[in-house]
Amino acid sequence: MNENEIARKINEFGTGLPRFERRARKPKVTGFAIYAAAAILVGVTVFVSIPRAQASGFQEMVFALKGVRTMEAITYSRHSDGTYFPIEHQWMSGSKLAVEAKMNGGMHMIAISTPTDYIVNLMAMGVTTREPDAWDPFHGKTTALDWVTEDNDFGVVGAERTMKRLDSPSLNGRKAYILRYEKSKEPSRTVETIWVDSQTNLPIRCSVQESDHITLANGTTQDHHSDIYTDYQFDLPVSDSIFAPRFSPVVDVAARQTELVRKWQAEPLAKGRKATVLDAQVSNDGSLYLLYPLGYAPAEVKGARGEKYVKAADYQPGGVRGDTKTDDRLSEFGKPIWGAVFVPTKLGNAHEQSFEVTFRPVAQQGWLKIETGPGPSETLSFSARDCMNWPDYAFDLVLATYFLQVDMSRALAQAKALESAGDIDSALTMYLEAFERQKQIPPPHEDRSLVPAEAMLRRVGRSSEADALRVQIEASRVNRGLPK
Amino acid sequence: MQLSERLSKPQSVSKAEDLEEALESVAQDVYRYARFRMMNIQDAEDATMETLHALRRNSRPFLEARSRTFFAIGVCRRKIANIVRANRFKWFAKRPESDLASMTESQVAIGQTLAQLSPEHREILALKYFHEFTQDEIAALIGRSPSAVNSLLQRARQAFAEISPSREVFE
């Protein structure tokens, strides 16, 4: 058999393979029972770019991690006041993994992966959701050590970095050595350091310091600096209560989603020839949450009394990552289901309850973003139900954590609309409100709300107020380790 | 769902869209590479999903890579190594797979031949003849010298030819 024949056969087989379809997956907790990055770290040792001496340091740590049965890890992040505060607490025991994330009020949650369930305790909201056969898209890889190993995976294909093994003074009373990576490619720079116990070869601490400079869609730039470290402890007792639901009744996500799809199939809120509204709810601040099947998307919203609205955000059930089985369950509806939230362009009016929404064909579908294009439009009229801050399906459709971001987007969209309309005082109120809501989402950046507020105030000649904002912005940047 | 500050790094909307498009553009190549290596749907899908997640989480080097496909396959290589280490490797020949129904008899026969090769032989044949990487690229990807790649390729071809049934059997 000659080379051409072999090439032809390999190609024939390769092209005959089915296309890859993204899917939800079961948790592989048992597959990485000795979490602690042990399995991943095995891979680290074979990297061609790591000198032999340094690789042996990893090798020793890998073997030590293989014998681990439980792990407790706490991750700390540098706060805007310069101090470090805990943001994540992890426990691993056998085939169970729990991650408690605590940023601010809204972002306090405990996510638990077991071989059968994915449970999320939304602590600040007093809600527990449970999803059978769900896949934790992060496999619990959330500590600084995991980022280091992930970056090592990237190293093999050319991500530049250097690595050194260094002596270290004792850490937490334990004699240690250091494995340090540095990678620098303008404008980003990352330093990753692992302190390894000299006697047990288990990691004691891992830190990741990263600086970056990114360009936002609107053309502005933003510095990003993160500084986190994780402390590890191994083979200490871990209580079973860590892996239990905290609130009852537990929201059974799978059952609720199936129930909702049946209801929408039987009774959509409004249906035209092309466009359909599955659900519409008005929050206590007048925001309109629309749910619709993709194809035709809402482009313009008008209240029955003439109030104008602007779109603040698009959202897709399943949240930011969308890797649970939510997509699969909702696919029974026939088309992907999307949502959009619109906010009124004025403050203080009585909330509208009835709406006229013009739908247009979807021109572009991006990452949590829908853009409509030209083509035949269709206008539907309907009344919306009242809800609190979020629509009542927020937990059923795994949207709660994403809606924290939407809260900020709502305020920001309203601020921009008010600024365009010349209502500077109201716009300033909403810019500041957006900043407050941003604090619920780590990290609390001032760039998206205070910076445009400062520019607006300077434009209209309110210099002293703009100066005050500038002081706040610069203080925040300095505390986060950024240049003014 | 991940709440650490690192993951919450603000990402520009345009960059996020670019990233999703870039991921879509490499997903099929990554999956096919994984199928050559794993010969098992479930494992190949796992490796592909983990690769896409890794690229999404740490997108900059991926987006800036000279060849995104090359970069993504390199990452996938590591993910496959992790899965193999977890002893979840299944032979194509021993486990009927649902997608065999969509394959021709000839493609199934080639698959069964490939399943009898060593993983490194399957990998190098796929990289050379399906993904069409150069010898130097393959060398960089698998961490061997170009001459070692050449030798490995020769042995892989020889093994494939020896195991492969004659053309008449399935053509």
Side-chain angles (χ1 to χ4, degrees):
Chain A
M1 187 181 291
N2 64 29
E3 184 174 4
N4 286 342
E5 179 74 354
I6 292 172
R8 187 192 66 74
K9 284 175 184 273
I10 299 296
N11 250 307
E12 183 181 347
F13 177 75
T15 51
L17 290 168
R19 285 182 60 78
F20 172 67
E21 302 294 340
R22 297 189 191 205
R23 60 168 175 76
R25 304 190 304 171
K26 288 190 64 161
K28 294 292 191 307
V29 180
T30 37
F32 60 96
I34 306 306
Y35 157 67
I40 310 159
L41 278 169
V42 174
V44 172
T45 60
V46 299
F47 273 104
V48 291
S49 52
I50 299 177
R52 185 177 299 276
Q54 283 79 15
S56 71
F58 272 100
Q59 187 94 42
E60 288 157 5
M61 187 168 68
V62 169
F63 288 142
L65 283 165
K66 278 183 173 178
V68 162
R69 289 290 169 267
T70 69
M71 180 200 74
E72 184 171 352
I74 304 177
T75 299
Y76 300 83
S77 175
R78 186 172 168 176
H79 195 263
S80 58
D81 65 5
T83 60
Y84 289 86
F85 69 110
I87 55 168
E88 282 191 4
H89 199 150
Q90 290 196 19
W91 300 264
M92 183 279 291
S93 177
S95 58
K96 296 175 183 172
L97 175 74
V99 182
E100 178 178 16
K102 190 174 185 180
M103 288 293 180
N104 283 299
M107 275 295 198
H108 183 191
M109 59 196 294
I110 301 176
I112 300 159
S113 288
T114 77
T116 55
D117 291 319
Y118 185 56
I119 297 164
V120 179
N121 295 311
L122 295 152
M123 304 300 283
M125 303 167 200
V127 174
T128 291
T129 61
R130 173 187 160 276
E131 189 165 7
D133 293 341
W135 175 62
D136 169 10
F138 295 95
H139 280 210
K141 295 173 195 165
T142 54
T143 72
L145 188 60
D146 298 300
W147 290 112
V148 175
T149 56
E150 185 96 324
D151 284 340
N152 275 301
D153 279 359
F154 278 59
V156 76
V157 281
E160 292 175 13
R161 72 192 188 294
T162 59
M163 181 190 155
K164 291 177 184 171
R165 178 173 170 157
L166 307 166
D167 292 331
S168 164
S170 295
L171 180 66
N172 297 344
R174 289 141 77 184
K175 198 176 170 191
Y177 61 88
I178 284 176
L179 299 169
R180 173 171 291 162
Y181 287 92
E182 291 189 29
K183 56 178 183 175
S184 180
K185 186 176 181 183
E186 291 300 331
S188 63
R189 174 178 163 76
T190 306
V191 179
E192 299 161 338
T193 312
I194 308 174
W195 285 262
V196 185
D197 189 314
S198 299
Q199 288 184 320
T200 65
N201 285 320
L202 289 168
I204 304 169
R205 174 177 291 177
C206 180
S207 84
V208 176
Q209 293 170 308
E210 184 187 51
S211 296
D212 206 348
H213 190 70
I214 62 173
T215 303
L216 297 173
N218 60 11
T220 61
T221 58
Q222 183 171 304
D223 291 325
H224 170 75
H225 180 80
S226 73
D227 185 348
I228 66 170
Y229 72 89
T230 303
D231 279 343
Y232 298 88
Q233 287 187 298
F234 299 96
D235 292 329
L236 297 176
V238 177
S239 167
D240 280 348
S241 64
I242 296 288
F243 306 103
R246 299 296 172 96
F247 307 102
S248 60
V250 174
V251 176
D252 187 333
V253 169
R256 284 292 299 146
Q257 289 178 358
T258 303
E259 194 180 317
L260 283 169
V261 167
R262 283 185 190 145
K263 180 182 149 195
W264 293 329
Q265 281 171 331
E267 297 172 18
L269 181 65
K271 189 167 174 56
R273 283 187 304 111
K274 292 167 180 168
T276 303
V277 178
L278 301 176
D279 183 272
Q281 298 182 41
V282 178
S283 68
N284 49 16
D285 70 345
S287 301
L288 172 66
Y289 287 84
L290 283 175
L291 215 55
Y292 61 95
L294 205 57
Y296 272 66
E300 291 147 35
V301 173
K302 210 166 60 172
R305 295 196 305 270
E307 178 91 70
K308 286 184 181 172
Y309 286 70
V310 291
K311 188 162 78 171
D314 294 297
Y315 54 92
Q316 193 173 12
V320 179
R321 300 289 167 181
D323 278 306
T324 67
K325 284 196 169 177
T326 297
D327 282 352
D328 289 352
R329 292 186 204 101
L330 300 193
S331 70
E332 289 176 24
F333 188 80
K335 287 181 179 174
I337 293 174
W338 276 69
V341 56
F342 288 80
V343 291
T345 52
K346 288 182 183 171
L347 292 184
N349 288 354
H351 300 156
E352 298 268 13
Q353 294 296 138
S354 299
F355 297 89
E356 271 186 13
V357 178
T358 301
F359 286 79
R360 296 189 188 283
V362 171
Q364 200 172 353
Q365 177 187 344
W367 183 70
L368 291 172
K369 190 179 180 190
I370 291 288
E371 284 180 12
T372 56
S377 64
E378 185 169 42
T379 301
L380 298 178
S381 300
F382 52 85
S383 294
R385 292 182 288 138
D386 283 329
C387 64
M388 297 299 286
N389 190 35
W390 297 339
D392 55 18
Y393 50 72
F395 300 108
D396 302 334
L397 297 187
V398 198
L399 280 163
T401 52
Y402 181 59
F403 276 162
L404 285 170
Q405 294 184 44
V406 170
D407 283 348
M408 192 277 297
S409 301
R410 281 163 44 196
L412 202 56
Q414 217 161 8
K416 287 175 180 170
L418 289 160
E419 183 184 350
S420 297
D423 186 349
I424 303 301
D425 287 333
S426 299
L428 181 59
T429 300
M430 293 316 294
Y431 277 127
L432 296 176
E433 175 66 21
F435 184 59
E436 288 305 309
R437 293 183 190 180
Q438 174 87 60
K439 290 177 181 173
Q440 299 290 314
I441 316 160
H445 286 294
E446 70 290 327
D447 305 62
R448 293 187 67 183
S449 47
L450 297 189
V451 170
E454 181 203 1
M456 175 186 75
L457 291 171
R458 292 206 189 283
R459 185 173 55 78
V460 297
R462 290 163 63 166
S463 303
S464 58
E465 290 169 272
D467 290 343
L469 277 184
R470 175 47 45 185
V471 169
Q472 190 176 348
I473 291 166
E474 290 184 358
S476 171
R477 290 175 66 83
V478 168
N479 284 335
R480 285 163 49 216
L482 297 171
K484 286 184 181 179
Chain B
M1 180 206 58
Q2 153 65 8
L3 301 177
S4 76
E5 184 168 329
R6 169 85 177 248
L7 259 191
S8 301
K9 176 179 176 177
Q11 193 171 34
S12 75
V13 173
S14 60
K15 186 174 277 187
E17 287 171 355
D18 289 348
L19 174 60
E20 289 307 308
E21 282 176 20
L23 290 173
E24 282 300 323
S25 73
V26 300
Q28 302 306 328
D29 274 327
V30 168
Y31 178 59
R32 279 169 166 72
Y33 169 76
R35 283 300 309 272
F36 270 107
R37 287 288 308 277
M38 313 292 284
M39 311 300 285
N40 171 280
I41 296 172
Q42 180 93 14
D43 288 344
E45 287 182 354
D46 283 356
T48 307
M49 288 294 286
E50 289 193 18
T51 302
L52 297 179
H53 271 291
L55 298 173
R56 183 181 284 116
R57 277 195 292 185
N58 198 350
S59 59
R60 181 186 284 276
F62 168 60
L63 291 174
E64 292 175 351
R66 186 174 51 84
S67 162
R68 289 175 180 167
T69 302
F70 179 80
F71 190 95
I73 286 178
V75 173
C76 185
R77 232 180 147 254
R78 307 307 319 147
K79 300 302 175 192
I80 288 172
N82 293 338
I83 291 171
V84 170
R85 270 191 292 274
N87 296 321
R88 293 194 288 114
F89 188 80
K90 302 284 192 303
W91 288 106
F92 180 85
K94 290 180 182 172
R95 180 176 162 182
E97 298 285 5
S98 60
D99 68 0
L100 290 184
S102 66
M103 286 185 159
T104 65
E105 195 176 331
S106 167
Q107 286 164 340
V108 171
I110 298 167
Q112 286 168 341
T113 302
L114 285 167
Q116 295 175 63
L117 296 182
S118 70
E120 63 177 2
H121 283 172
R122 278 204 306 273
E123 178 185 28
I124 202 155
L125 289 174
L127 292 174
K128 174 70 179 172
Y129 298 117
F130 184 72
H131 297 287
E132 298 182 341
F133 287 129
T134 66
Q135 208 150 294
D136 285 347
E137 285 173 329
I138 296 172
L141 195 62
I142 68 174
R144 296 195 182 189
S145 67
S147 59
V149 167
N150 191 35
S151 303
L152 183 61
L153 197 52
Q154 280 184 26
R155 290 198 298 275
R157 279 198 302 258
Q158 190 178 349
F160 184 88
E162 285 172 2
I163 296 171
S164 185
S166 64
R167 292 180 62 176
E168 289 73 23
V169 172
F170 52 84
E171 286 190 353

